[in-house]
Amino acid sequence: MTLWGGRFSEPTDDDLRALNDSIGFDRHMFRQDIAGSIAYAQAIARAGIITAAEAEVLVKGLRSVLAEFESGTFALQPADEDIHTAVERRLTELVGSVGGKLHTGRSRNDQVATDFRLWTLDALAELDGRIAALQSALIAQAEQHILTLMPGYTHLQPAQPITAAHWLLSFFWMLARDRDRLADAHRRAAVSPLGAGALAGTPFAVDRDQLAHDLGLTSVTQNSLDAVSDRDFVAESLFVMALLGTHLSRLGEDIVLYSNPQFGYITLNDRYSTGSSLMPQKRNADPMELARGKAGRLIGNLTGLLTTLKGLPTAYNKDLQEDKEALFDSFDTLTRLLPVVTAIIRTLRLNADRMRAALGEDLLATDLADYLVRRGLPFRQAHHAVGQLVRLAAEQGSALSRLPLEVLRSVSDLFEADVAQVFNFESSVSQRRATGGTAPDAVRAQLEAAHRWMDDHPDVHPAQTPLVNLNESGEP
Ligand code: ARG
């Protein structure tokens, strides 16, 4: 039986039911739905709408329904349109007609908004822990490679030497911002719409603040129309996940490139590499290609929801039911992806020799210009002079460092014999020691800052939606 059958003389068409029903996916929110109902039963008892004894019956019944879901014994019925219908139907089977009192003053509109906020809070907390694990893996790997040099690229062209730790830590800070944004989204999602009713608010004297508190939410919505139609918390969460996915995609691209034998900078652990069914020599970085590929669907989920929201008239519309699959999918995608990326970073082998061998002297051209700058030449002129030397060296098929001093002096008489000291990758790198630079000293300071950041942001452990316990708190 539907929750709204009274007005209709004919049963709903099967095809419409297949389209309209959301139980196929919103059953994932059974815990949140039941927690919301337990808190609500107590709230309407406090408001004098049901007796304390009735509330106790409802709460006991709801706990039994929860136990059925948790043990996998809950039997769905064909008419269970959504999780709210299914729980109320089963509750009423278990406790009788008093089950029909639970929905007093409540609508599925404020109910679903509450359930989904609770689910989102749990999901964000879970994700936070998984991102933190990846950050720790990046720190641990970086700590091993403070002195490992590699070519740094701009436009994917060799640019300047950098330390491998610096490359790894660049991703640490992207993830730090992701976690900041996640905490922010979490804060705005922790608001209770319960008591907004269908759209106009409840006529019963439910204490909305107490209800919010019981559910672990920090405040209540201030406008019932907004409360039932606001899905900003979903859009924000999808954005946080899409941007996180974008960062993982860029890490994926670097790892795919650097593990290509023509770079050979890194080797993925066998457990996290894949082969080819045809070419026996192949060693592919499929998981990092998936990290790159999954960004597409994460961004798609975000743009899909924004498109759904943009034209909606005020208050609840069934279009809003589209919110759930998008967020469930983004969350599932990331909870599958993050542990693999974390393990890959943890077990990554960096081939210091290959990185070193890829350092060409051209990468020191900037240092050569800086040499002239230190002797008083304006940088623009120094850049031009060194550009001429690079061209000369290329024409003569000579290394930059092999050009005789007279040749250097032909473009600038500021060159002296000590210019030979410029041709040293270690000294190039170690000079970049200002905060945020690639010098080992600066990277050590960066690692300390990263550790401090982690200390300041302990990962939130999956805080499960609280189930208010009537038995513990006694009378409602
Ligand atoms: N399954 C619905 C959703 O996810 C629940 C709310 C239904 N409300 C309604 N007025 N039909 O949005």
Side-chain angles (χ1 to χ4, degrees):
M1 203 182 59
T2 61
L3 297 178
W4 37 267
R7 191 219 177 285
F8 298 92
S9 54
E10 287 207 57
T12 319
D13 176 77
D14 283 347
D15 289 338
L16 167 57
R17 287 219 346 253
L19 171 69
N20 190 55
D21 289 2
S22 53
I23 187 72
F25 47 89
D26 65 16
R27 67 191 144 78
H28 294 310
M29 304 194 302
F30 69 84
R31 187 180 169 87
Q32 290 76 18
D33 191 73
I34 292 170
S37 285
I38 289 179
Y40 195 70
Q42 296 176 355
I44 56 175
R46 280 192 298 264
I49 297 154
I50 59 174
T51 65
E54 285 173 328
E56 202 162 340
V57 170
L58 288 176
V59 171
K60 265 186 85 182
L62 286 163
R63 287 184 175 283
S64 304
V65 179
L66 178 66
E68 290 183 10
F69 270 106
E70 281 177 341
S71 63
T73 58
F74 186 93
L76 273 180
Q77 299 301 319
D80 289 345
E81 175 185 333
D82 53 25
I83 185 63
H84 328 295
T85 313
V87 170
E88 188 177 322
R89 188 264 308 154
R90 181 65 185 138
L91 173 67
T92 305
E93 282 170 9
L94 291 174
V95 304
S97 62
V98 62
K101 293 196 173 189
L102 175 63
H103 210 52
T104 313
R106 187 173 67 167
S107 158
R108 279 184 297 163
N109 299 351
D110 58 347
Q111 185 178 6
V112 73
T114 307
D115 290 4
F116 202 24
R117 280 173 182 269
L118 293 172
W119 186 91
T120 301
L121 293 173
D122 288 350
L124 292 179
E126 161 103 35
L127 212 51
D128 186 63
R130 293 186 191 255
I131 307 172
L134 176 52
Q135 285 182 301
S136 298
L138 285 164
I139 289 182
Q141 191 62 262
E143 273 165 346
Q144 305 306 309
H145 293 285
I146 299 172
L147 298 173
T148 306
L149 299 192
M150 67 182 283
Y153 298 84
T154 62
H155 311 263
L156 203 55
Q157 304 292 330
Q160 294 180 338
I162 57 170
T163 51
H166 200 50
W167 166 64
L168 289 163
L169 288 175
S170 67
F171 292 96
F172 173 91
W173 299 106
M174 295 179 214
L175 299 173
R177 293 192 298 275
D178 289 329
R179 289 183 63 202
D180 263 343
R181 271 184 286 271
L182 194 143
D184 211 34
H186 191 278
R187 183 172 61 75
R188 270 191 294 277
V191 179
S192 172
L194 205 51
L199 76 161
T202 176
F204 300 104
V206 294
D207 181 342
R208 294 193 59 212
D209 292 302
Q210 179 70 46
L211 244 179
H213 180 262
D214 289 350
L215 289 169
L217 302 172
T218 52
S219 60
V220 301
T221 54
Q222 295 298 322
N223 180 304
S224 60
L225 296 173
D226 180 42
V228 292
S229 69
D230 173 19
R231 294 295 184 275
D232 290 4
F233 67 100
V234 188
E236 282 191 50
S237 301
L238 286 172
F239 172 71
V240 172
M241 295 184 197
L243 189 52
L244 165 62
T246 301
H247 294 149
L248 298 177
S249 173
R250 296 179 73 169
L251 174 62
E253 172 63 4
D254 274 5
I255 290 184
V256 168
L257 271 179
Y258 294 168
S259 64
N260 176 310
Q262 283 162 1
F263 282 82
Y265 297 169
I266 59 184
T267 309
L268 261 62
N269 187 284
D270 275 1
R271 286 169 65 97
Y272 302 103
S273 306
T274 47
S276 157
S277 60
L278 190 145
M279 301 163 282
Q281 88 285 9
K282 289 290 293 254
R283 181 188 188 85
N284 295 331
D286 285 32
M288 296 317 285
E289 292 169 37
L290 284 169
R292 204 173 51 192
K294 297 286 184 194
R297 70 195 279 164
L298 295 168
I299 294 165
N301 286 335
L302 169 64
T303 55
L305 182 78
L306 290 174
T307 311
T308 296
L309 296 178
K310 70 173 270 299
L312 293 185
T314 284
Y316 182 84
N317 299 272
K318 192 62 170 245
D319 317 43
L320 291 174
Q321 182 166 287
E322 291 296 308
D323 59 358
K324 277 165 229 71
E325 284 162 296
L327 192 57
F328 291 163
D329 182 72
S330 287
F331 176 71
D332 288 347
T333 298
L334 286 166
T335 48
R336 258 194 293 270
L337 182 59
L338 278 164
V340 177
V341 175
T342 301
I344 286 175
I345 294 298
R346 204 164 23 79
T347 59
L348 204 59
R349 201 178 73 223
L350 271 64
N351 306 320
D353 296 350
R354 290 295 302 267
M355 289 177 164
R356 177 88 200 184
L359 293 172
E361 277 185 355
D362 278 5
L363 276 73
L364 299 172
T366 318
D367 297 79
L368 202 55
D370 291 344
Y371 171 94
L372 294 175
V373 165
R374 292 206 170 88
R375 277 154 190 76
L377 199 64
F379 177 74
R380 207 33 69 209
Q381 288 173 38
H383 184 286
H384 188 76
V386 174
Q388 289 178 303
L389 292 176
V390 170
R391 181 156 50 82
L392 275 173
E395 281 166 7
Q396 296 174 14
S398 158
L400 208 47
S401 65
R402 292 280 154 84
L403 290 175
L405 187 57
E406 312 88 79
V407 175
L408 298 191
R409 290 182 66 87
S410 72
V411 301
S412 168
D413 56 11
L414 293 170
F415 282 117
E416 309 276 355
D418 65 353
V419 68
Q421 291 163 15
V422 168
F423 294 100
N424 180 315
F425 296 113
E426 271 74 16
S427 88
S428 164
V429 161
S430 66
Q431 284 169 41
R432 288 169 168 77
R433 60 161 58 91
T435 302
T438 195
D441 284 349
V443 168
R444 281 188 198 97
Q446 185 182 166
L447 275 165
E448 274 173 36
H451 278 295
R452 273 199 306 278
W453 195 96
M454 292 298 275
D455 291 344
D456 291 344
H457 298 79
D459 60 299
V460 198
H461 267 293
Q464 281 216 322
T465 300
L467 289 170
V468 184
N469 193 334
L470 188 73
N471 302 329
E472 277 170 22
S473 61
E475 292 296 296

